[in-house]
Amino acid sequence: MDNKTDTKGEHLIIFDTTLRDGEQSPGISLDTAEKLEIAEQLARLNVDYIEAGFPVASQGDFEAVSAIAKSVEGPIIAGLSRTQLHDVDRCWDALKFAEKARIHVFISTSPSHMEHMLHMDQAQVLAEVKSGVGRAREHTDDVEFSPQDATRTPLDFMIEVLNAAIEAGATCLNIPDTVGYGIPWDFGALISYVRKMVPGEYILSTHCHNDLGLATANSLAGVQAGARQVEVCVNGIGERAGNAALEEVVMAVNIRSDQFPGVTTTVNTSEIAKTSRLVARLTGYPVQYNKAVVGRNAFAHESGIHQHGVLAERSTYEIIEASSVGQAGRQIVLGKHSGRHAFSDTLEKMGLKVQGDTLNATFNRFKELADRKVQITEADLEAIVAEELGTAVSSEFVLEELEVSGGTVAQPMARVVIDKDGTKSEGKAEGNGMIDAACNALSNATGVNAKLSEFNVSAVTGGIDALGDVVIQVESNGIKVSGRGVSTDVVEASARAYLNAVNRILRMQAKGDEREVEIGP
Ligand code: KIV
Ligand code: ZN
């Protein structure tokens, strides 16, 4: 075997694609500022690579990748590109300010994709691989190549393509299980086969989707077979059923080091929970309660026997120490008498960068909240900061007043007052419940008719005065976005979430920021 794993020996490279593949999840649409926020947290998590986007896909993607390349320090910044020379050049234009950058070139190689999507034969695909990878190498000496839909590609053609990519200068070969078709032992065998059949110095990588719920298992099988890079997303988000979850792969390698002798990551695992919460908040994709590692029940013990065991000795029923992934008990940090200084100091200690107008707005929300809730925890602060950051980015309309009435007898009614650049407008409406009435009133006041397609409410912390965290998805004229709002009052949280989503729609319409280029199925 003469292919090297990595100059760092048995280091397993964590290639995070939350901002590229993760962002392709239906309904997720992050602003540049939100992507920067996540990228900075990924840097604190200490991932090796951040795949920041697909620059040719839209102007918004281009701007986000270049903003991350310009300001995020630590991880190497990667951008995705098709093999077309124009795409590769555009990708580099977005990346070129990064201290270290990688171009990730891909093309489909399965018969189904070649026939129905590319309309190319094998010779044409091979020529594309050579020209795209070759062009990328003119820009940077860190070039990844992916044969899309590798697990449904005939083996001999895949090997031919991979060898062509190496000849053209690829330094990393990624094997995407694009449609989540792989089964662990089969996927592991595929990785071993590539190692055997493609000589040279390169890093072998996995990119596993979760259509059969096997993305983490397949990634680990790949590592066992010699892959030294895994492509993962925080909370396992991504196209359809998602990608392999970063936290699962990292903790599996960490906890079961006996199964991966000498293989280590340099992820700062104590940042995992915070990263997970940030991604959930900004994407609007809640984490399922029983999700491995980051779910709120991942360290909860319900049965008496388990509780007894854990109290006597944690390891009886827990294989992961909660604090090792940042899941330790949430602290109470502030109260009603806390001033601006204590407030901004606390945010800074929590690693939340909030300045200027957003800091003022967040402080005002905190004061309002402190009047209704005695103790404000870190989780509460994260929730209001996330909401205000979303609002600051896309702020067109701001909720000023909300009045609702309803119950089991009278028709539910709502009245809202909203502000846009100092101009106030009022909206009144009825609804089939108070939340529906509030959304209808906002629709009247803003003139935007957005249809609610998903509604999710969860409590940020326990207790009767807990913050309600509402995440919704709405659709208007074919644009699907999510919105989030928090308040101790669920109707108010819903109205805030609805207005947040409306603002996003308006911003997307104004920028014409729909995707012009898609990646695949
Ligand atoms: O799933 C996939 O095939 C991809 C490629 C672009 C790597 O995301
Ligand atoms: Zn993918």
Side-chain angles (χ1 to χ4, degrees):
M1 213 74 51
D2 64 351
N3 65 330
K4 291 243 172 65
T5 49
D6 170 18
T7 49
K8 290 175 246 169
E10 292 294 300
H11 173 66
L12 177 62
I13 297 173
I14 302 298
F15 181 102
D16 180 277
T17 182
T18 307
L19 294 175
R20 199 279 295 167
D21 214 326
E23 220 248 348
Q24 282 169 231
S25 313
I28 296 186
S29 144
L30 298 167
D31 306 288
T32 297
E34 289 168 327
K35 286 187 183 174
L36 264 170
E37 178 82 8
I38 291 177
E40 272 157 17
Q41 179 57 30
L42 289 171
R44 284 190 282 273
L45 185 65
N46 206 27
V47 300
D48 299 282
Y49 282 82
I50 294 175
E51 187 166 45
F54 183 26
V56 84
S58 71
Q59 183 58 23
D61 256 47
F62 181 88
E63 281 165 16
V65 175
S66 79
I68 290 169
K70 278 179 192 157
S71 68
V72 176
E73 287 170 13
I76 301 170
I77 310 302
L80 184 69
S81 169
R82 295 179 302 185
T83 49
Q84 284 97 315
L85 302 185
H86 159 77
D87 279 36
V88 178
D89 294 344
R90 183 101 177 120
C91 188
W92 182 247
D93 276 346
L95 289 171
K96 65 186 174 202
F97 301 101
E99 213 170 80
K100 288 194 200 149
R102 166 183 285 185
I103 300 180
H104 175 187
V105 179
F106 79 100
I107 190 166
S108 288
T109 50
S110 66
S112 151
H113 285 208
M114 282 165 53
E115 181 187 343
H116 301 295
M117 291 166 55
L118 296 179
H119 310 292
M120 283 184 194
D121 61 23
Q122 292 193 346
Q124 287 168 310
V125 168
L126 270 170
E128 282 291 313
V129 172
K130 289 177 194 161
S131 69
V133 171
R135 180 63 147 246
R137 250 334 265 265
E138 289 170 24
H139 294 304
T140 169
D141 57 10
D142 189 350
V143 176
E144 171 175 335
F145 171 72
S146 291
Q148 186 170 227
D149 205 11
T151 43
R152 294 191 302 169
T153 297
L155 277 182
D156 50 353
F157 183 54
M158 188 180 71
I159 297 299
E160 200 179 346
V161 164
L162 293 175
N163 276 312
I166 290 292
E167 261 169 51
T171 50
C172 172
L173 295 179
N174 180 41
I175 308 300
D177 185 17
T178 305
V179 292
Y181 184 69
I183 296 290
W185 45 94
D186 189 33
F187 188 74
L190 181 65
I191 295 292
S192 300
Y193 189 67
V194 173
R195 285 187 75 190
K196 193 166 119 202
M197 301 302 287
V198 185
E201 286 204 10
Y202 59 89
I203 294 179
L204 195 47
S205 166
T206 66
H207 177 107
C208 299
H209 279 269
N210 205 29
D211 298 64
L212 292 173
L214 293 170
T216 296
N218 287 336
S219 307
L220 294 175
V223 175
Q224 202 186 32
R228 286 298 174 266
Q229 171 175 292
V230 281
E231 302 204 346
V232 287
C233 289
V234 174
N235 297 340
I237 62 172
E239 283 274 20
R240 306 178 312 280
N243 287 67
L246 178 149
E247 61 280 3
E248 293 174 12
V249 176
V250 167
M251 291 314 291
V253 169
N254 195 327
I255 296 287
R256 293 306 308 271
S257 53
D258 58 316
Q259 295 296 312
F260 307 96
V263 177
T264 52
T265 76
T266 41
V267 166
N268 181 0
T269 59
S270 64
E271 290 289 323
I272 284 180
K274 190 188 262 180
T275 315
S276 160
R277 289 195 299 269
L278 180 72
V279 169
R281 291 225 164 87
L282 296 185
T283 58
Y285 264 51
V287 175
Q288 81 197 49
Y289 286 0
N290 59 337
K291 166 83 182 57
V293 185
V294 291
R296 68 161 61 169
N297 290 354
F299 297 93
H301 300 276
E302 185 64 28
S303 91
I305 295 178
H306 287 213
Q307 286 173 352
H308 176 84
V310 168
L311 285 176
E313 165 54 42
R314 184 196 58 79
S315 63
T316 50
Y317 284 100
E318 272 183 14
I319 57 164
I320 305 174
E321 207 169 319
S323 60
S324 72
V325 291
Q327 280 267 47
R330 318 307 310 283
Q331 298 156 15
I332 292 155
V333 283
L334 294 171
K336 160 180 187 162
H337 301 295
S338 310
R340 180 183 295 266
H341 188 72
F343 176 74
S344 64
D345 210 46
T346 307
L347 294 188
E348 216 176 292
K349 283 195 190 116
M350 288 166 61
L352 297 168
K353 279 194 199 149
V354 189
Q355 287 155 347
D357 288 349
T358 315
L359 180 62
N360 293 339
T362 315
F363 183 66
N364 291 342
R365 286 297 309 284
F366 157 71
K367 278 292 185 189
E368 266 170 49
L369 178 65
D371 276 341
R372 302 189 216 170
K373 192 173 189 295
V374 185
Q375 293 166 327
I376 311 284
T377 66
E378 275 191 12
D380 293 326
L381 286 183
E382 278 175 7
I384 57 174
V385 167
E387 192 203 281
E388 284 305 326
L389 282 174
T391 310
V393 172
S394 54
S395 186
E396 276 94 12
F397 291 111
V398 176
L399 183 66
E400 293 263 300
E401 290 174 28
L402 167 71
E403 260 181 80
V404 281
S405 59
T408 53
V409 182
Q411 170 77 34
M413 300 270 295
R415 184 187 77 88
V416 295
V417 177
I418 54 170
D419 180 284
K420 183 177 185 184
D421 300 329
T423 308
K424 304 210 184 304
S425 7
E426 191 186 51
K428 287 184 184 164
E430 296 180 344
N432 58 22
M434 287 190 282
I435 292 176
D436 188 45
C439 295
N440 291 342
L442 285 168
S443 190
N444 290 343
T446 58
V448 176
N449 190 6
K451 205 167 143 326
L452 203 65
S453 54
E454 298 270 348
F455 180 88
N456 185 295
V457 59
S458 58
V460 175
T461 51
I464 191 81
D465 61 355
L467 269 190
D469 185 352
V470 172
V471 176
I472 59 167
Q473 285 195 9
V474 300
E475 189 168 353
S476 174
N477 293 330
I479 301 181
K480 257 192 174 178
V481 296
S482 61
R484 108 171 298 122
V486 285
S487 169
T488 46
D489 178 318
V490 171
V491 182
E492 183 191 329
S494 309
R496 287 183 178 280
Y498 188 84
L499 201 57
N500 181 239
V502 165
N503 281 331
R504 278 173 192 246
I505 288 171
L506 290 173
R507 183 174 43 81
M508 284 178 78
Q509 281 171 343
K511 272 178 111 181
D513 196 21
E514 277 116 286
R515 285 193 166 253
E516 292 140 29
V517 175
E518 293 298 338
I519 293 169

